[in-house]
């Protein structure tokens, strides 16, 4: 009997009606760069057990690390004592019944498992050198390369059991350019993957090039026009949208998408899939945070809202089926958010713009509750009559999330992986307000 | 785990070639209660502990952490840290060093009237349910509510090969109220939080009730509010928004590691960077502030850093490494999120000193502009450019507040905005708990008075 099964069954012996246990172990190597220097190299061993116990609809969770059999059992006892002390969750209807779990490909790469600290440092050196080669004006404020191997096992007293081994390799860089006393804006670049296919030099080059572009910024004019969202900005927008189609937010009344199933909520160009089974996906797994099988489902199909994402708890509240989106027994989270690519090249997308802004980074708020998108465009280019004119600084972008997705006028034909678990093309949208200083 | 064993481990690291070694043993005990929409959502408790080992070998750092706190694993972590340092030996251009500091052997705890560990979880749950109910009771327009309570007991033992031994035990308590009001298809969110290095006595006072009421009332009040026309404007900022600007937009630029990477304050010591009305400080205290840091994670006693005095840049915040590199004194600003991270330069409690205006006078003497209250987060760059979401904005016309706005954001360059300050209030307030992110999470606090400045205001429909 595995430790998670043993601890969950022990909770039943204590008097709990249901229990769900999760044990995760990880080994991480990390090389960190600060101020153009390999600042430190580190290794970490992570080991964590959590157990949720339910008694008379009272739900309590206890977490502990440094796990052995004794600490695990004491953890269950603490959770049970807490459950006895608190108030019931009147909406609780029980743990999900077990279902067969899908086999998800591409989540473990033996090459990452075999990486040692030396190789991780070598890759950090390559990243640093690649940034230096772009220009002497560029500094890496911080950057890092990380390789992780993890194992997660879950067990529910309703019968669900899952075991998953994963690897992750990621790199990121934050660069800044300086020239004649002028300091440009931060520029970010990052990538992460389950496989050893992240190009660290490309990340450095991208961050460095964007940092250079942020020197000699011109003030932007104030106008209403077209917004071109580069992949990271688009990823932020779609992550916020995912909160709006989260079953919990729909049920609680904080999502404007409540009551809009099978209604047109966006441009017909937009199709969004939540796919927990995506091969090699950063948020892929064969089971979710309650041990239910993950699924691929189309959330928005050519502009029409087809479903919400749910765990068993929220699915029952809404009278729907769970979609394998349990973050835990009570919370919902998107898996991989896949935005279907369009048919336009970047040149075609820019070429069709009368007046607009191409924004690589957005510093601001994107609020799903009322749709407010308000913030500053970073690494942004002013576009006029189909041409990228000049990089702009201190320009505020204002629009509404739900208007933005209705006003999508084009999607790039290339789909990009982002380190947020969002896979998206470049997005073009109309009728956005820009407030500049020119 | 025995402290003598930790001393033995740092000695062992040095016998294996390290010129310096430190070990941090940390134990965390936390609890949380979450109530959403009238229903007890979840209660949680957690116990975590771990060890972080840092070694300096020929000017290269190595770091290793483990959550398996057994002697053989800690010994392995020491060996790993040395191995990590060796891997980066050839990659460093500059050798890291450490500024000299007095070696301390000290043990201290935060002053807590009522230890939350000893409060019955049922009582905690009952109180959070009551606060959530209070939020819902303010108006039928309140539709989505979330009340969250959390406490943590954080015990850190620092031991160094120089003979340092610092034990700091802190208890932090925090309550957050989150509300969405809805009416005729319009939705309006609001958020308030209170907290500090305090015990459960915080929850027995008025503050959580005021926070719950304030969040609910603001969400409802702003339902019908419009968004303003954007542009550069005169604005009066309240204590809370000022706290965020001072921390995010300016404070980070005075962290010596970022100064070394070349930010907007690099090379500007002794120069004017703000209006002469502006004095900015980073403080290890006051004792109950959320970022209370009497000793940092390098065992250095915290001291107050006057960053800006009457508009002139006076100092940066330092770790021992940045102080050595810049020929400065360590300030006790090296902080690590937990045992799994090496310490880096972080702020603690950062604020602007008060001036001599009454806050109401600042508004009364503003002909045209905005009164901007509270913040919902934001971002800033090391060139001082920032963007923050504002909780609530009011139009000022001929010295009077005339119309409320929502969905407001402000942006600008910190140096330009602070240079434009022409009025600083006498109403000093600190106590805006937050979690700062800089690759690692750190509890921080901040504040200041009301001020008036020129700032870019943006809105959205």
């Amino acid at each position: 009997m595995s430790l998670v099964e043993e601890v969950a069954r022990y909770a039943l012996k204590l008097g709990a009606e249901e229990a769900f246990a999760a044990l995760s172990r990880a080994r991480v190597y990390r090389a960190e760069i600060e101020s153009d220097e390999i600042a430190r190299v580190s290794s970490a061993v992570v080991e964590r057990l959590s157990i949720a116990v339910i008694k008379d609809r009272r739900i309590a969770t206890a977490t502990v690390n440094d796990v052995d059999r004794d600490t695990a059992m004491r953890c269950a006892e603490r959770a049970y004592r807490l459950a006895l002390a608190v108030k019931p969750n009147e909406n609780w209807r029980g743990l999900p019944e077990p279902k067969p779990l899908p086999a998800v490909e591409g989540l473990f790469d033996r090459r990452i498992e075999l990486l040692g600290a030396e190789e991780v440092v070598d890759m950090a050196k390559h990243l640093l050198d690649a940034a230096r080669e772009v220009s002497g004006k560029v500094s890496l404020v911080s950057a890092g390369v990380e390789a992780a191997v993890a194992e997660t096992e879950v067990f529910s007293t309703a019968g669900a059991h899952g075991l998953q081994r994963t690897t992750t390799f990621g790199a990121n860089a934050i660069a800044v350019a300086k020239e004649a006393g002028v300091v440009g804006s931060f520029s970010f670049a990052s990538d992460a993957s389950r496989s050893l296919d992240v190009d660290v030099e490309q990340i450095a080059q991208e961050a460095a090039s964007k940092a250079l572009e942020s020197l000699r910024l011109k003030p932007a004019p104030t106008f209403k026009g077209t917004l071109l969202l580069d992949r990271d900005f688009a990823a932020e927008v779609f992550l916020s949208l995912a909160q709006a189609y989260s079953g919990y937010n729909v049920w609680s009344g904080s999502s404007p998408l409540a009551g809009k199933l099978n209604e047109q909520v966006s441009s017909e160009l937009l199709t969004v899939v939540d796919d927990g089974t995506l091969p090699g996906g950063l948020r892929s797994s064969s089971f979710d945070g309650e041990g239910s099988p993950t699924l691929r489902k189309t959330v928005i199909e050519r502009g029409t809202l087809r479903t919400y994402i749910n765990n068993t708890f929220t699915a029952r509240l809404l009278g729907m089926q769970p979609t394998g989106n349990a973050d835990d027994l009570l919370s919902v989270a998107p898996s991989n958010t896949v935005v279907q690519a369009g048919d336009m090249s970047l040149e075609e997308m820019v070429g069709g713009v009368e007046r607009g802004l191409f924004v690589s980074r957005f510093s601001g708020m994107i609020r799903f509750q009322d749709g407010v998108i308000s913030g500053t465009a970073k690494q942004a280019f002013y576009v006029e009559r189909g041409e990228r004119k000049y990089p702009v600084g201190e320009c505020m972008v204002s629009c509404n999330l739900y208007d933005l997705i209705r006003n999508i006028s084009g999607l790039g034909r290339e789909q990009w992986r982002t380190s947020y678990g969002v896979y998206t093309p470049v997005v073009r949208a109309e009728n956005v307000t820009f407030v500049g200083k020119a | 785990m025995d402290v003598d064993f930790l001393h033995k481990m740092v000695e062992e690291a040095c016998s294996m070639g390290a010129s310096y070694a430190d070990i941090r043993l940390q134990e965390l005990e936390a609890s949380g209660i979450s109530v959403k929409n009238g229903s007890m959502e979840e209660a949680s408790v957690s116990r975590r502990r771990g060890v972080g080992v840092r070694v300096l070998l020929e000017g290269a750092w190595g770091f290793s952490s483990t959550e398996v706190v057994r002697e053989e694993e800690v010994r392995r972590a020491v060996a790993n840290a040395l191995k990590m340092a060796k891997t980066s030996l050839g990659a460093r251009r500059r050798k890291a060093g450490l500024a000299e500091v007095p070696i301390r052997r000290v043990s201290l705890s935060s002053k807590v009237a009522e230890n939350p560990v000893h409060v019955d979880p049922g009582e905690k749950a009952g109180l959070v349910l009551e606060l959530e109910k209070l939020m819902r009771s303010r108006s039928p327009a309140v539709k989505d509510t979330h009340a969250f309570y959390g406490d943590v007991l954080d015990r850190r033992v620092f031991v160094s090969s120089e003979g340092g031994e610092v034990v700091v035990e802190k208890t932090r308590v925090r309550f957050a109220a989150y509300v969405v009001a809805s009416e005729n298809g319009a939705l309006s969110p609001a958020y308030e939080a209170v907290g500090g290095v305090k015990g459960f006595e915080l929850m027995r006072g008025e503050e959580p009730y005021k926070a719950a009421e304030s969040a609910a009332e603001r969400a409802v009040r702003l339902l019908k509010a419009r968004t303003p026309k954007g542009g550069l404007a005169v604005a009066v900022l309240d204590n809370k928004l000022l706290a965020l600007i001072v921390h995010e937009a300016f404070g980070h630029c005075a962290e010596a590691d970022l100064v070394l990477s070349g930010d907007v304050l690099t090379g500007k010591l002794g120069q004017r960077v703000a209006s002469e009305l502006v004095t900015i400080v980073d403080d290890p205290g006051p004792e109950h502030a959320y970022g209370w840091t009497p000793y940092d994670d390098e065992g250095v006693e915290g001291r107050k850093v006057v960053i800006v005095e009457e508009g002139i840049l006076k100092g940066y915040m330092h770790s021992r490494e940045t102080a050595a590199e810049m020929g400065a004194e360590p300030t006790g600003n090296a902080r690590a999120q937990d045992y799994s991270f090496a310490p880096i330069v972080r702020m603690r409690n950062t604020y602007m000193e008060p001036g001599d205006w009454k806050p109401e006078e600042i508004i009364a003497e503003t002909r045209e502009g905005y009164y901007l209250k509270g913040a919902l987060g934001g971002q800033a760059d090391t060139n001082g450019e920032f963007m923050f979401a504002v909780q609530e904005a009011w139009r000022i016309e001929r010295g009077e507040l005339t119309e409320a706005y929502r969905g407001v954001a402000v942006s600008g360059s910190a140096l330009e905005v602070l240079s434009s300050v022409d009025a600083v209030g006498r109403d000093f307030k600190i106590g805006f708990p937050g979690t700062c992110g800089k690759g690692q999470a750190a509890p921080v606090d901040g504040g200041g008075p009301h001020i008036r400045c020129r700032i870019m205001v943006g809105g959205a429909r």
Side-chain angles (χ1 to χ4, degrees):
Chain A
M1 194 189 299
S2 67
L3 185 62
V4 280
E5 182 174 351
E6 196 178 347
V7 75
R9 294 200 185 284
Y10 179 63
L12 296 191
K13 278 189 195 160
L14 292 170
E17 288 144 5
E18 300 173 288
F20 177 83
L23 175 65
S24 56
R25 291 193 167 103
R27 189 259 290 150
V28 184
Y29 286 127
R30 188 185 302 131
E32 294 170 71
I33 293 167
E34 284 169 12
S35 304
D36 293 326
E37 192 71 86
I38 302 232
R40 72 191 67 84
V41 183
S42 59
S43 69
V45 175
V46 180
E47 188 178 74
R48 225 159 272 185
L49 173 84
S50 73
I51 179 163
V53 303
I54 297 107
K55 170 79 174 171
D56 298 332
R57 296 188 182 179
R58 297 158 195 258
I59 305 169
T61 305
T63 308
V64 71
N65 66 356
D66 193 1
V67 185
D68 58 22
R69 192 177 174 281
D70 188 43
T71 54
M73 300 308 149
R74 285 210 305 270
C75 185
E77 288 165 7
R78 294 177 73 217
Y80 181 65
R81 280 199 304 272
L82 183 60
L84 291 180
V86 297
K87 305 284 188 284
N89 181 331
E90 301 296 350
N91 297 308
W92 179 253
R93 296 291 178 272
L95 286 169
E97 292 301 312
K99 289 179 186 164
L101 303 179
V104 181
E105 300 292 319
L107 302 188
F108 192 89
D109 186 339
R110 178 116 175 105
R111 293 172 300 167
I112 296 177
E113 185 187 33
L114 294 175
L115 280 180
E118 296 84 355
E119 287 87 359
V120 172
V121 172
D122 276 345
M123 291 186 201
K125 282 185 211 165
H126 289 315
L127 189 149
L128 193 51
D129 290 342
R132 284 176 186 149
E133 279 169 21
V134 172
S135 170
K137 295 172 190 166
V138 174
S139 283
L140 286 182
V141 176
S142 76
V145 176
E146 183 174 294
V149 185
E151 182 180 282
T152 304
E153 185 175 9
V154 297
F155 181 83
S156 135
T157 53
H161 179 238
L163 177 65
Q164 185 91 64
R165 290 189 80 206
T166 57
T167 49
T168 311
F169 184 86
N172 65 81
I174 301 175
V176 68
K178 287 158 278 185
E179 186 179 51
V182 175
V183 183
S185 301
F186 272 177
S187 68
F188 290 83
S190 64
D191 193 10
S193 176
R194 297 293 191 190
S195 306
L196 198 57
D197 60 357
V198 170
D199 187 338
V200 295
E201 291 175 9
Q202 192 183 336
I203 289 166
Q205 287 158 359
E206 186 185 333
S209 304
K210 285 181 179 173
L212 274 179
E213 285 171 1
S214 77
L215 290 169
R216 301 190 197 90
L217 301 177
K218 287 188 181 178
T222 296
F223 66 104
K224 196 162 206 172
T226 304
L227 173 64
L228 289 143
L229 300 91
D230 203 358
R231 57 185 188 270
D232 284 341
F233 185 8
E236 281 188 65
V237 166
F238 289 115
L239 276 181
S240 187
L241 184 63
Q243 289 185 275
Y245 57 70
S246 149
Y248 188 88
N249 292 326
V250 169
W251 173 77
S252 69
S254 62
S255 169
L257 295 184
K260 295 202 170 154
L261 279 182
N262 297 315
E263 288 184 22
Q264 191 83 19
V265 295
S266 77
S267 155
E268 288 186 0
L269 295 173
L270 185 65
T271 293
V272 179
V273 174
D274 182 276
D275 188 359
T277 65
L278 183 73
L282 275 170
R283 295 194 181 182
S284 293
S285 171
S286 57
F287 54 88
D288 66 6
E290 62 181 17
S292 290
T294 53
L295 295 171
R296 180 186 192 279
K297 58 270 168 197
T298 302
V299 180
I300 297 175
E301 184 180 22
R302 292 193 295 279
T304 301
L305 182 65
R306 293 297 186 200
T307 189
Y308 303 123
I309 56 173
N310 286 302
N311 58 10
T312 300
F313 177 67
T314 62
R316 286 169 176 161
L317 290 172
L318 294 171
M320 298 176 77
Q321 290 298 312
T323 58
N325 285 94
D327 192 31
D328 56 35
L329 298 183
L330 300 166
S331 311
V332 173
S335 60
N336 303 289
T337 303
V338 183
V339 182
Q340 202 171 82
D343 56 2
M344 299 177 86
S345 68
L346 190 57
E347 292 71 30
E348 286 168 338
M349 294 181 85
V350 172
V353 174
E354 181 56 31
R355 211 173 178 207
L357 219 60
F358 181 91
V359 181
S360 287
R361 180 159 81 86
F362 177 74
S363 171
M365 61 173 157
I366 306 174
R367 214 158 59 188
F368 76 92
Q369 296 96 336
D370 57 2
V372 166
I373 297 181
S374 185
T376 311
K378 301 281 184 182
Q379 278 87 47
F381 267 86
Y382 178 60
V383 178
E384 196 174 78
R385 289 182 194 142
E387 281 183 27
R388 280 162 67 116
K389 291 286 185 187
Y390 49 83
V392 299
E394 285 199 63
C395 180
M396 295 197 80
V397 179
S398 297
C399 59
N400 183 285
L401 172 64
Y402 303 100
D403 291 340
L404 182 93
I405 59 173
R406 273 186 213 101
N407 292 331
I408 288 175
S409 60
L411 294 167
R413 65 169 67 125
E414 192 169 1
Q415 191 184 61
W416 297 87
R417 175 177 70 199
T418 67
S419 48
Y420 313 97
V422 179
Y423 300 74
T424 178
V426 173
V427 176
R428 191 176 75 184
E430 308 300 326
N431 290 322
V432 173
T433 300
F434 303 97
V435 181
K437 273 187 165 175
Chain B
M1 179 164 278
D2 193 71
V3 178
D4 290 341
F5 176 73
L6 302 180
H7 280 289
K8 194 174 155 193
M9 284 298 97
V10 290
E11 281 166 23
E12 201 166 300
C14 290
S15 71
M16 290 159 78
S19 57
Y20 170 85
D22 61 38
I23 290 191
R24 284 177 294 119
L25 166 68
Q26 186 180 11
E27 292 166 313
L28 292 150
E29 182 158 0
S31 82
I33 302 280
S34 174
V35 175
K36 289 182 177 176
N37 300 305
S39 182
M40 179 83 211
E41 186 86 352
E42 193 183 12
S44 63
V45 286
S46 73
R47 272 185 192 159
R48 282 173 55 210
R49 59 181 188 161
V51 168
V53 182
R54 189 172 72 145
V55 300
L56 189 60
L57 180 80
E58 296 173 37
W61 284 114
F63 181 75
S64 181
S65 68
T66 180
E67 296 194 336
V68 183
V69 187
R70 291 166 217 149
E71 289 193 358
E72 67 275 18
E73 279 300 320
V74 174
R75 191 166 267 123
R76 189 171 296 149
V78 170
N80 260 339
L82 281 156
K83 186 180 164 193
M84 296 300 120
K86 282 174 190 161
T87 59
S88 66
L89 270 179
R92 283 193 74 106
R93 291 180 303 173
R94 301 185 302 271
K95 288 192 173 183
L98 291 171
E100 295 290 318
V101 289
I103 304 306
R104 303 287 191 196
R105 289 177 83 93
V106 62
S107 177
L108 70 164
S109 305
S110 58
K111 292 191 180 72
V112 170
E114 188 174 8
N115 189 335
V117 171
H118 301 140
V119 177
D120 175 62
E123 189 181 356
K124 290 179 186 173
L127 190 52
V128 183
L129 277 161
E130 186 182 320
L131 287 161
E132 190 274 342
K133 191 176 175 185
L134 177 65
M135 285 147 71
R136 276 183 293 125
S137 71
R138 304 315 286 180
S139 163
V142 170
K143 295 290 193 258
D144 185 14
T145 52
H146 183 188
F148 174 80
Y149 163 83
D151 59 54
V152 62
L153 173 64
D154 179 347
R155 184 171 186 271
R156 299 181 183 215
V157 180
F158 169 89
V159 164
S160 80
S161 58
E162 294 167 332
E165 184 185 308
V166 176
V167 182
V168 178
E169 195 171 291
K170 290 178 207 178
T171 300
R172 286 192 298 273
V173 167
R174 189 166 181 271
F175 170 75
Y178 166 83
V179 182
V180 178
S182 169
E183 202 169 68
N184 301 324
L187 288 131
S188 165
Y191 171 84
E192 285 288 337
V194 293
V197 175
K198 296 176 182 175
F200 199 72
E201 65 272 12
L202 174 86
M203 295 300 291
R204 299 200 191 277
E206 288 184 349
E207 280 187 83
Y209 291 88
K210 283 183 179 168
E213 281 178 334
S214 171
E217 286 169 4
R218 182 182 311 111
V220 174
R221 185 166 63 241
L222 296 182
L223 265 172
K224 294 187 174 76
R226 298 186 302 151
T227 51
K229 190 179 166 189
L232 192 63
V234 171
V236 178
L237 315 185
D238 80 341
N239 326 68
K240 197 182 281 188
L241 181 58
L242 177 66
L244 191 63
I245 289 179
V246 164
H247 175 99
E248 285 290 347
F250 190 83
H252 279 299
C253 298
E255 290 170 336
D257 53 346
L258 295 179
V259 173
L260 283 166
S261 74
D263 69 21
V264 73
L265 295 181
T266 303
K268 289 199 167 76
L269 277 181
Q271 293 180 25
R272 177 163 297 286
V273 294
S275 149
E276 64 183 8
L277 301 176
V278 172
T279 293
I280 294 172
V281 169
D282 181 74
D283 196 335
E287 188 163 349
H288 295 297
Y290 205 56
W292 180 63
T293 312
Y295 284 84
D296 71 4
D297 289 309
E298 292 186 317
V300 176
E301 187 171 10
R303 68 173 175 85
K304 197 169 167 178
V305 181
V306 177
I307 302 168
V308 174
E309 189 172 26
E310 294 177 357
I312 307 296
L313 184 66
K314 290 289 188 184
Y316 302 128
M317 291 163 277
H318 284 285
S319 64
R320 291 184 67 184
E321 184 181 353
T322 63
E325 190 154 353
M326 297 178 79
E329 292 277 317
T331 54
N333 283 87
R335 302 176 67 191
Q337 175 178 314
D338 60 34
Y339 52 83
S340 64
F341 291 89
I344 56 173
V345 182
R346 307 301 299 268
M347 279 172 272
R348 300 159 302 187
N349 307 297
T350 317
Y351 50 84
M352 187 184 287
E353 295 278 15
D356 52 11
W357 286 64
K358 288 181 186 168
E360 55 274 21
E361 276 176 0
I362 303 178
I363 292 170
E365 296 201 14
T366 301
R367 184 166 175 74
E368 182 78 36
Y370 295 99
Y371 177 35
L372 306 175
K373 295 173 71 177
L376 283 164
Q379 295 173 25
D381 280 1
T382 52
N383 63 0
E385 286 177 10
F386 65 85
M387 177 276 152
F388 300 120
V390 176
Q391 285 241 28
E392 180 175 359
W394 286 83
R395 180 94 182 136
I396 303 174
E397 290 176 298
R398 290 181 293 282
E400 296 202 344
L401 305 180
T402 55
E403 183 184 1
Y405 295 113
R406 68 189 175 101
V408 177
V410 291
S411 73
S413 150
L415 267 54
E416 282 178 23
V417 170
L418 292 177
S419 294
S420 74
V421 172
D422 65 358
V424 176
R426 62 174 68 154
D427 60 316
F428 181 76
K429 190 176 174 193
I430 188 170
F432 304 113
T435 303
C436 173
K438 187 182 166 188
Q440 303 181 27
V444 294
D445 212 328
H450 276 68
I451 64 157
R452 185 173 61 195
C453 61
R454 287 179 69 77
I455 199 165
M456 190 84 159
V457 175
R461 188 167 54 81

